[in-house]
């Protein structure tokens, strides 16, 4: 119970920080000199530096060559594609839209778990998936209204980019749990962020070099520090702590913290507005998440089937005993 409490606390804190990151990242984009791709590269480089420095003060763990390849794949889905698509998507859409799309991760995780981990697709799960996806579709259509480009508008494209980011992170939740259980959080993250930096830096170094850092306001530096240290270094380390102690579905369930935090901050700062359509879309997503995450897991169904078989076997044995007694 104590270990599970650590996992729940870690996931709550990580998603709380990510919820704050959405409006703060948007304010960084408002400077006009830091692009979404540049911010993504700065997050990867900065977190890699922090993790490698932290590893100097911890016992060294040996990572096998096979696991290094797996860590590269994990970094691709958990960092490179996730951060890249999410931050670029956030530059086109609003903080509320991006955070509500992010709350679909538990549903996507459940679908992937059915294919990868052979979790059963019950009627309750299917209903939850339909409700969550309906909420996301409503959000996208609401963003398309009033735009000359219709579904090709920038805001809709941003919503779709954020959706791709969450799909990649759901793959990371489901497919790499065994790998994450084998190593400590700092060891995992230092290699994953190093690989992510190597993949993205060749394409984003020119953008970072063109940023006029000397002319940036102190507030921008504080925002950058929070995004890199708080919403990247700390958050990813906390996620690995949670993944070691909780099931993938439970881990992904904490994404619902993000839209709550981001929505309150965005409305409070005047960066977004809250309408009835968006509220209904959020309600559908939350209900879908609730229905899916409360459905029975594969282990529960197998346990119920085993118990039923044991009871039937016991009843059959009793009947045979009664027949034998009657014959005597």
């Amino acid at each position: 119970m104590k270990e599970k409490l650590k996992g729940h606390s870690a996931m709550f804190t990580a998603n709380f920080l990510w919820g704050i990151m959405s409006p703060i990242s948007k304010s960084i984009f408002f400077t006009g000199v830091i692009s979404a791709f540049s911010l993504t590269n700065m997050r990867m480089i900065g977190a890699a530096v922090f993790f490698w420095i932290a590893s100097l003060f911890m016992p060294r763990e040996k990572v096998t060559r096979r696991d290094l390849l797996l860590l590269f794949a994990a970094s691709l889905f958990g960092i490179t594609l996730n951060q890249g698509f999410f931050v670029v998507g956030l530059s086109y859409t609003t903080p509320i839209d991006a955070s509500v799309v992010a709350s679909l991760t538990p549903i996507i995780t459940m679908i992937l778990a059915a294919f990868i981990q052979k979790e059963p697709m019950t009627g309750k799960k299917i209903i939850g998936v339909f409700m969550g996806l309906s909420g996301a579709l409503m959000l996208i259509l609401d963003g398309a209204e009033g735009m000359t480009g219709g579904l090709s508008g920038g805001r809709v494209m941003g919503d779709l980019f954020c959706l791709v980011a969450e799909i990649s992170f759901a793959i990371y939740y489901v497919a790499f749990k065994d790998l994450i259980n084998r190593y400590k959080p700092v060891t995992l993250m230092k290699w994953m962020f190093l690989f992510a930096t190597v993949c993205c830096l060749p394409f984003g170094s020119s953008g970072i070099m063109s940023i006029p850092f000397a002319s940036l306001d102190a507030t921008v530096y504080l925002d950058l520090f929070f995004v890199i240290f708080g919403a990247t270094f700390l958050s990813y380390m906390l996620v690995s702590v949670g993944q070691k102690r909780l099931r993938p579905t439970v881990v992904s369930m904490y994404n619902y913290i993000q839209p709550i935090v981001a929505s309150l901050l965005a409305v409070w700062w005047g960066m977004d507005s809250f309408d009835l359509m968006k509220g209904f879309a959020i309600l559908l997503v939350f209900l879908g998440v609730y229905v899916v995450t409360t459905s029975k897991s594969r282990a529960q169904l197998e346990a119920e089937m085993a118990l039923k078989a044991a009871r039937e076997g016991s009843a059959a044995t009793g009947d045979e005993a009664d027949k034998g007694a009657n014959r005597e």
Side-chain angles (χ1 to χ4, degrees):
M1 183 61 68
K2 184 177 180 181
E3 289 301 306
K4 285 187 176 181
L5 182 59
K6 288 181 181 179
H8 287 297
S9 300
M11 292 309 305
F12 178 89
T13 305
N15 282 274
F16 184 84
L17 293 172
W18 279 334
I20 299 175
M21 184 192 72
S22 292
I24 288 183
S25 297
K26 198 72 175 180
S27 67
I28 293 175
F29 299 150
F30 286 158
T31 62
V33 296
I34 300 178
S35 67
F37 195 60
S38 294
L39 181 60
T40 301
N41 277 271
M42 292 168 69
R43 289 182 69 192
M44 293 179 184
I45 297 170
V49 171
F50 282 126
F51 277 117
W52 278 90
I53 291 176
S55 68
L56 298 177
F57 300 93
M58 304 187 69
R60 184 178 179 182
E61 283 187 296
K62 184 178 180 180
V63 182
T64 64
R65 291 184 178 180
R66 178 180 178 276
D67 284 349
L68 282 177
L69 292 176
L70 290 175
L71 283 171
F72 176 81
S75 71
L76 184 65
F77 289 104
I79 300 176
T80 307
L81 295 179
N82 172 251
Q83 284 195 21
F85 275 100
F86 183 79
V87 176
V88 173
L90 186 59
S91 68
Y92 288 103
T93 188
T94 65
I96 288 181
D97 283 18
S99 297
V100 173
V101 172
S103 68
L104 284 171
T105 302
I107 297 175
I108 301 170
T109 302
M110 291 297 294
I111 296 174
L112 293 175
F115 290 97
I116 297 175
Q117 298 182 343
K118 306 302 180 183
E119 285 286 336
M121 286 297 293
T122 63
K124 193 173 184 180
K125 288 181 181 178
I126 295 173
I127 292 173
V129 168
F130 176 78
M131 293 173 65
L133 293 180
S134 297
L137 182 60
M138 287 178 60
L139 183 67
I140 293 173
L141 293 177
D142 183 48
E145 289 184 1
M147 296 191 305
T148 57
L151 287 177
S152 63
R155 182 170 172 179
V156 176
M157 182 174 65
D159 291 343
L160 293 175
F161 278 2
C162 290
L163 182 60
V164 172
E166 299 313 316
I167 292 174
S168 68
F169 208 50
I171 294 174
Y172 169 66
Y173 278 150
V174 175
F176 299 98
K177 181 172 176 58
D178 292 339
L179 174 68
I180 291 167
N181 288 335
R182 289 200 288 270
Y183 300 100
K184 294 180 179 178
V186 173
T187 301
L188 292 166
M189 291 299 119
K190 76 175 185 179
W191 285 109
M192 287 177 60
F193 273 96
L194 177 62
F195 290 141
T197 300
V198 171
C199 288
C200 292
L201 189 58
F203 304 98
S205 58
S206 59
I208 296 176
M209 296 297 292
S210 64
I211 298 174
F213 288 101
S215 62
L216 294 180
D217 189 83
T219 304
V220 178
Y221 278 103
L222 289 176
D223 290 343
L224 287 172
F225 179 78
F226 172 81
V227 170
I228 295 172
F229 184 82
T232 308
F233 171 70
L234 287 180
S235 291
Y236 272 85
M237 183 162 61
L238 289 170
V239 164
S240 62
V241 171
Q243 284 181 288
K244 285 179 177 292
R245 293 163 173 82
L246 304 173
R247 293 182 293 112
T249 304
V250 178
V251 169
S252 63
M253 185 182 68
Y254 275 93
N255 274 51
Y256 80 87
I257 296 295
Q258 296 183 43
I260 296 174
V261 175
S263 297
L264 291 176
L265 287 177
V267 173
W268 182 31
W269 293 343
M271 298 172 64
D272 206 340
S273 60
F274 197 90
D275 55 34
L276 184 61
M277 180 66 76
K278 197 177 270 82
F280 186 62
I282 291 174
L283 179 61
L284 271 179
V285 171
F286 283 169
L287 286 176
V289 171
Y290 174 77
V291 170
V292 172
T293 54
T294 55
S295 60
K296 293 181 179 180
S297 65
R298 177 184 177 183
Q300 289 175 315
L301 291 177
E302 290 178 347
E304 289 180 358
M305 291 176 62
L307 180 60
K308 182 179 179 181
R311 288 175 175 174
E312 291 176 349
S314 178
T317 302
D319 291 340
E320 290 296 328
D322 291 339
K323 290 179 181 178
N326 291 332
R327 285 195 297 269
E328 292 177 359

